[in-house]
Amino acid sequence: MNRNIEASTALMTDMYEYTMLDAALKDGTADRRCVFEVYTRHLPEGRRYGVVAGTGRILDAIRDFHPTQDELRFLSDNHIVSGRTIDWLEDFRFTGDIRGYREGELFFPDSPILQVEGGFGECTLLETIILSILNYDSAVASAASRMVSAAKGRPCMDMGARRASEGAAVAAARAAVVGGFQGTSNLLAARLYGIKAIGTAAHSFTLLHDSEREAFVAQIDALGRNTTLLTDTYSVEDAVKTAVEVAGPDLGGVRIDSGDLGSLAQRVRNQLDALGATKATITVTNDLDEYAIASLQTAPVDSYGVGTMLVTGSGAPTCAMVYKLTEREGASGRMEPVAKKSVGKANLPGRKLAYRSYEYNLAEAEHVVAGDEEALASFRPDEGWRDLLVDYMVHGQADTSYQGRDALPRANEHRARSLSEMPISALSLMKGEPVIPTLTEVI
Amino acid sequence: MNRNIEASTALMTDMYEYTMLDAALKDGTADRRCVFEVYTRHLPEGRRYGVVAGTGRILDAIRDFHPTQDELRFLSDNHIVSGRTIDWLEDFRFTGDIRGYREGELFFPDSPILQVEGGFGECTLLETIILSILNYDSAVASAASRMVSAAKGRPCMDMGARRASEGAAVAAARAAVVGGFQGTSNLLAARLYGIKAIGTAAHSFTLLHDSEREAFVAQIDALGRNTTLLTDTYSVEDAVKTAVEVAGPDLGGVRIDSGDLGSLAQRVRNQLDALGATKATITVTNDLDEYAIASLQTAPVDSYGVGTMLVTGSGAPTCAMVYKLTEREGASGRMEPVAKKSVGKANLPGRKLAYRSYEYNLAEAEHVVAGDEEALASFRPDEGWRDLLVDYMVHGQADTSYQGRDALPRANEHRARSLSEMPISALSLMKGEPVIPTLTEVI
């Protein structure tokens, strides 16, 4: 993207959000109070749970959602909205409330992941950008969490930038951390979110040099003995021998990027140990996914570098989250639950509460309670039910503790804790049903 | 993303590009002349061809690849590179050559899609951003092209913004045009690339109102009778009746977003015609892909709105393109072909020429000719072979005719022409081999 397009996030949206605003301003319905809900009707096939990610970025995006003069001119010149709407947009700021699942929280079908409450106009403008962020970031975090579980404590690192659109790569690195990853190759993500930047070297660096030895010497001269050398450009065995000759027994580590990774890791480990480099680590890469990682559990691997399958959600590159109007002020001025009746796509009317219940310290069910504001105000959950909703924004003011760098490790901790409370089949890579049922109740 | 991160594209890259630069500057190899090649070892399973997209955006990204002072400080403070490298980066500008397949060109396994020639340092810095753009944009354009073929002349529109990361959504809208799409819901893409902005209304707009009729009246008041009304919030039949009552026979069109789209389109067409709205169009949406579009060929549908499956590449959300060093200056100062020997991932050494040969006006084969600069200079293709390589940049100067808004319709025209030259099985949605073989020759 070029440098002048990020003045605001206000055009990162579908045209119809603006034309609906325009029509609603004209007929006087734009200020009707509304509750929109983000949820998904289903998890990707066979998945046991999903991981919410992106809410911190949504708070950033809403902060930056102010059309610039250039953007307003675009809307006006292209007759997308009328002059009245341009006036309304002049000093646009979202003034409503947002509550939802914490970043890192697990979600299931029909979990009310985010609820956006405010005037119709301000809520509808945010639809596309909220869904863009939640759908992609949660897809990556959900895949990452499965990989991290399969890695059983060995660190997983994001190396997927080259297999995702350049902006998505940054979002993916961040979402991977929510899913439990410990570093990223992507420098912009490292800079923006304080994620540990990691990297080794490419085959091109070895090929650039007249010999593999010269390449290794150059890398160690620049980065120190503790660096990780790439060993599969020519012969892995020769490379490992050269690596230890050049770096000595303090060699940091080696990376293997091709072949039968399990057998190779075993041979390389034995070779490194025989050469005295007992502390040198082994990183493996090469189209890893959660299944490949699980299959390497018995191999002497120290860390996993994951690319394509991380940034493409391991077969599920987007979630199926939607943004639906569930309650709105009617002509009478009273709030009324609403729902569309489209075949196969009907939604549960009314605002929602959400709780997780437990039995013997294990999660038992997701409880979604729907109703109007009054009914929900008097609802009392059973003892021990965990309230899943937090306030992200109140009257347009963001709770900044959910935003920025510090929110990221907390999101991962929350994910790890939520996952540890799940029945053990949550960790199964076999296809199956969501690990707990979602029970809905209309009051 | 927030507003201060797009100062340059220089950190949209993997850390190791910078650490390799650092090491190469230290040992004196950073200025060795290199030829890097972008290619893919295979198409997504069963695909007959791929479509190159993103090269225009690559020219933008290279233009904007100048580390800012803040970015240099980040690299320095985090000890990613040494002071010498910071100096080298101070006024970095790519000064090399880039040649490759035109945007919109079809590609096959081992097609030399892009070749980047220059000093090792400057070429290696661009690896990640070039791959990010080409891998995603080409994935979307490749899927789009199949959908457009399946639509047999009916317009396809991008409505996928909400199912892609917010920056990727913009790239997807653009790539979709390369693949033959005719409009996008995404306003930022419309603004940046001059793509036609399109849209109807969401179910929420109907639900906002006290009745469907009031919603339709409001939309027509604001947008005119020529607008497209969404008809599946409650009963499609009732909605179509109301739509024509409100708009009269000049109603622009209706959209159907759920249910059995073929049967519904047929019933709605008959109903519209009976009500005199014979020119009202029918747009269908709802998780369409090329197979769904093909299955609707006999239904009276006027246009297709495609979301998820477009922006996720219809099952192939990234291409498997890699960026490999194929030739470089050695210690002698002479250019030498190089290749890694990694198991299953070896590449063909040397720079490449690429041609397409024809028989009876149909493409017959992709010819990739590899060798050193001298050998290739004297290579003469057979008569009728089409040269597939164009010069994107010469000595750091971009050919701006491949960049910006005007390049986009030309890329689609080139795609359509290239596809029309292919054997008809290119249009088959059945899984199969690439429609023409890639023949490689080392000279």
Side-chain angles (χ1 to χ4, degrees):
Chain A
M1 280 198 257
N2 62 31
R3 60 183 68 190
N4 60 0
I5 65 168
E6 296 286 336
S8 88
T9 53
L11 295 188
M12 289 186 148
T13 191
D14 287 326
M15 185 176 77
Y16 80 177
E17 318 290 8
Y18 280 97
T19 57
M20 288 192 287
L21 166 67
D22 193 61
L25 279 171
K26 195 163 188 189
D27 87 338
T29 53
D31 288 334
R32 284 190 172 191
R33 192 152 194 89
C34 288
V35 181
F36 283 86
E37 179 188 330
V38 176
Y39 67 99
T40 179
R41 298 176 189 104
H42 52 82
L43 298 179
E45 194 201 340
R47 290 281 181 91
R48 308 307 183 101
Y49 67 93
V51 175
V52 175
T55 50
R57 294 207 313 120
I58 285 173
L59 297 180
D60 294 347
I62 294 175
R63 179 195 62 209
D64 296 340
F65 201 100
H66 309 289
T68 64
Q69 289 303 314
D70 278 355
E71 290 166 345
L72 291 176
R73 198 169 310 120
F74 168 80
L75 293 173
S76 176
D77 289 352
N78 290 276
H79 309 291
I80 293 167
V81 298
S82 63
R84 178 212 318 257
T85 304
I86 296 290
D87 291 344
W88 190 91
L89 288 166
E90 278 280 353
D91 41 25
F92 174 77
R93 198 174 70 82
F94 178 73
T95 63
D97 302 330
I98 300 183
R99 57 191 170 274
Y101 279 39
R102 280 188 60 172
E103 193 154 17
E105 188 61 84
L106 307 194
F107 69 88
F108 301 94
D110 298 319
S111 293
I113 292 164
L114 211 69
Q115 292 177 77
V116 180
E117 180 165 2
F120 174 78
E122 61 184 350
C123 293
T124 209
L125 284 185
L126 299 182
E127 173 178 17
T128 311
I129 186 98
I130 285 177
L131 287 176
S132 290
I133 294 174
L134 272 179
N135 269 322
Y136 182 67
D137 292 19
S138 301
V140 172
S142 299
S145 182
R146 285 161 58 88
M147 294 171 184
V148 166
S149 295
K152 292 198 175 300
R154 293 172 178 173
C156 294
M157 304 294 181
D158 160 41
M159 298 183 179
R162 65 193 55 198
R163 298 295 173 88
S165 190
E166 70 278 19
V170 180
R174 183 186 177 282
V177 174
V178 176
F181 272 51
Q182 298 186 26
T184 180
S185 63
N186 188 278
L187 283 178
L188 187 49
R191 179 174 177 221
L192 282 177
Y193 301 116
I195 307 168
K196 182 182 169 191
I198 54 95
T200 60
H203 297 100
S204 64
F205 189 75
T206 296
L207 294 171
L208 168 70
H209 288 84
D210 299 289
S211 71
E212 191 165 53
R213 179 178 299 267
E214 285 168 81
F216 287 178
V217 168
Q219 187 175 334
I220 287 164
D221 272 359
L223 302 176
R225 288 171 199 282
N226 196 36
T227 191
T228 297
L229 296 171
L230 177 60
T231 52
D232 71 330
T233 304
Y234 305 113
S235 146
V236 173
E237 189 176 352
D238 292 349
V240 169
K241 183 161 168 287
T242 305
V244 180
E245 282 173 11
V246 171
D250 295 336
L251 172 67
V254 298
R255 174 162 78 101
I256 312 172
D257 183 47
S258 56
D260 179 334
L261 296 176
S263 303
L264 273 173
Q266 187 180 33
R267 288 180 50 186
V268 167
R269 180 74 271 158
N270 291 348
Q271 191 185 357
L272 284 168
D273 290 349
L275 295 168
T278 53
K279 289 181 179 158
T281 60
I282 298 176
T283 297
V284 295
T285 54
N286 193 18
D287 282 343
L288 295 178
D289 62 9
E290 59 268 51
Y291 305 100
I293 291 171
S295 78
L296 289 166
Q297 270 172 17
T298 57
V301 169
D302 297 284
S303 73
Y304 299 101
V306 188
T308 305
M309 295 308 272
L310 173 69
V311 300
T312 60
S314 198
T318 183
C319 301
M321 293 183 196
V322 294
Y323 186 89
K324 293 297 166 195
L325 183 64
T326 61
E327 189 181 6
R328 59 103 179 100
E329 193 180 338
S332 66
R334 280 228 317 274
M335 293 296 282
E336 298 163 355
V338 294
K340 63 174 183 167
K341 292 172 181 161
S342 318
V343 177
K345 294 165 88 175
N347 63 284
L348 193 65
R351 67 180 67 210
K352 311 288 188 307
L353 299 174
Y355 301 92
R356 197 162 289 155
S357 63
Y358 297 85
E359 191 181 46
Y360 303 118
N361 295 322
L362 283 182
E364 187 189 32
E366 197 88 336
H367 300 270
V368 178
V369 184
D372 62 21
E373 195 166 11
E374 203 178 342
L376 293 190
S378 60
F379 179 81
R380 294 291 167 269
D382 287 5
E383 200 178 311
W385 285 18
R386 180 158 74 84
D387 187 350
L388 297 173
L389 302 182
V390 299
D391 286 320
Y392 280 111
M393 289 188 95
V394 175
H395 301 322
Q397 294 298 316
D399 182 336
T400 54
S401 71
Y402 296 116
Q403 205 174 356
R405 293 176 165 219
D406 296 343
L408 208 46
R410 279 201 297 271
N412 172 44
E413 283 159 25
H414 188 73
R415 176 199 61 82
R417 191 164 53 241
S418 300
L419 187 54
S420 73
E421 295 169 352
M422 286 290 149
I424 203 166
S425 53
L427 303 182
S428 168
L429 298 179
M430 300 262 296
K431 286 188 178 181
E433 294 298 308
V435 64
I436 55 172
T438 304
L439 308 176
T440 58
E441 183 182 353
V442 181
I443 63 171
Chain B
M1 280 198 256
N2 60 33
R3 61 183 65 189
N4 60 1
I5 65 168
E6 297 286 338
S8 88
T9 53
L11 295 188
M12 290 186 149
T13 191
D14 287 326
M15 184 175 78
Y16 80 178
E17 318 289 9
Y18 279 97
T19 57
M20 287 191 287
L21 166 67
D22 193 62
L25 279 171
K26 195 164 188 186
D27 87 337
T29 53
D31 288 333
R32 283 190 173 190
R33 193 152 194 87
C34 287
V35 180
F36 283 86
E37 179 188 330
V38 176
Y39 67 100
T40 179
R41 298 176 190 104
H42 53 82
L43 298 179
E45 194 200 340
R47 290 281 181 91
R48 308 307 183 100
Y49 68 93
V51 176
V52 175
T55 50
R57 294 207 312 119
I58 285 173
L59 297 181
D60 294 346
I62 294 175
R63 178 195 63 209
D64 296 341
F65 201 101
H66 310 288
T68 64
Q69 289 303 314
D70 277 356
E71 290 166 345
L72 291 176
R73 198 168 311 118
F74 168 80
L75 293 172
S76 176
D77 289 353
N78 290 276
H79 309 291
I80 293 167
V81 297
S82 63
R84 178 211 318 256
T85 303
I86 296 290
D87 292 344
W88 190 90
L89 289 167
E90 278 280 354
D91 41 24
F92 174 76
R93 198 173 70 82
F94 178 73
T95 63
D97 302 331
I98 300 183
R99 56 191 170 274
Y101 280 39
R102 279 188 62 172
E103 193 155 15
E105 188 61 83
L106 309 194
F107 69 87
F108 301 94
D110 298 318
S111 293
I113 293 164
L114 211 69
Q115 292 178 76
V116 180
E117 179 164 3
F120 174 79
E122 60 184 351
C123 293
T124 208
L125 283 185
L126 299 182
E127 174 178 18
T128 310
I129 187 98
I130 285 177
L131 287 176
S132 290
I133 293 174
L134 272 179
N135 269 322
Y136 182 67
D137 292 19
S138 301
V140 173
S142 299
S145 182
R146 285 160 59 86
M147 294 170 184
V148 166
S149 295
K152 293 199 175 298
R154 293 172 178 172
C156 295
M157 304 294 180
D158 160 41
M159 298 183 180
R162 64 193 55 197
R163 299 295 172 87
S165 190
E166 69 277 19
V170 179
R174 184 187 178 283
V177 173
V178 176
F181 272 51
Q182 299 187 24
T184 180
S185 63
N186 188 277
L187 284 178
L188 187 50
R191 180 175 177 219
L192 282 176
Y193 301 116
I195 306 168
K196 182 181 170 191
I198 54 94
T200 60
H203 297 100
S204 64
F205 189 75
T206 296
L207 294 171
L208 168 69
H209 288 83
D210 299 289
S211 71
E212 191 166 55
R213 179 178 300 266
E214 285 168 80
F216 287 179
V217 168
Q219 187 175 333
I220 287 165
D221 272 359
L223 302 175
R225 289 171 199 282
N226 196 36
T227 191
T228 298
L229 296 170
L230 177 61
T231 53
D232 71 330
T233 304
Y234 306 114
S235 147
V236 173
E237 188 177 352
D238 293 349
V240 170
K241 185 163 168 285
T242 305
V244 180
E245 282 172 11
V246 170
D250 295 337
L251 171 67
V254 298
R255 175 163 76 101
I256 312 170
D257 183 46
S258 56
D260 179 334
L261 296 176
S263 302
L264 273 173
Q266 187 179 32
R267 288 180 52 186
V268 167
R269 181 74 271 158
N270 291 348
Q271 190 185 357
L272 284 168
D273 290 348
L275 295 168
T278 53
K279 288 182 180 156
T281 60
I282 298 175
T283 297
V284 296
T285 54
N286 192 18
D287 282 342
L288 295 178
D289 61 11
E290 59 267 50
Y291 305 100
I293 291 171
S295 78
L296 289 166
Q297 270 171 17
T298 57
V301 168
D302 296 285
S303 74
Y304 300 100
V306 188
T308 305
M309 295 308 274
L310 173 69
V311 300
T312 60
S314 198
T318 184
C319 301
M321 293 183 196
V322 294
Y323 186 89
K324 294 297 165 196
L325 183 63
T326 60
E327 189 180 5
R328 60 104 178 99
E329 192 180 339
S332 67
R334 280 227 317 275
M335 292 297 281
E336 296 164 357
V338 294
K340 65 175 182 166
K341 292 172 182 162
S342 317
V343 177
K345 294 165 86 174
N347 62 282
L348 194 67
R351 68 179 67 210
K352 310 288 187 308
L353 299 174
Y355 302 92
R356 197 162 290 156
S357 63
Y358 297 84
E359 191 181 46
Y360 302 119
N361 295 321
L362 284 182
E364 187 188 33
E366 196 88 336
H367 300 270
V368 178
V369 184
D372 63 21
E373 195 166 11
E374 201 178 344
L376 293 190
S378 60
F379 179 80
R380 293 291 167 269
D382 286 6
E383 199 178 310
W385 285 19
R386 180 158 74 83
D387 188 349
L388 298 172
L389 302 182
V390 299
D391 285 321
Y392 280 110
M393 289 188 93
V394 176
H395 301 322
Q397 295 298 315
D399 182 335
T400 54
S401 72
Y402 296 116
Q403 205 174 356
R405 292 176 167 219
D406 296 343
L408 208 46
R410 279 201 296 271
N412 173 45
E413 284 159 26
H414 188 73
R415 176 199 62 81
R417 193 165 50 242
S418 299
L419 187 53
S420 73
E421 295 168 351
M422 285 290 150
I424 203 166
S425 54
L427 304 182
S428 168
L429 298 179
M430 300 264 294
K431 287 188 179 182
E433 294 299 308
V435 65
I436 56 172
T438 305
L439 308 177
T440 58
E441 182 181 355
V442 181
I443 62 171

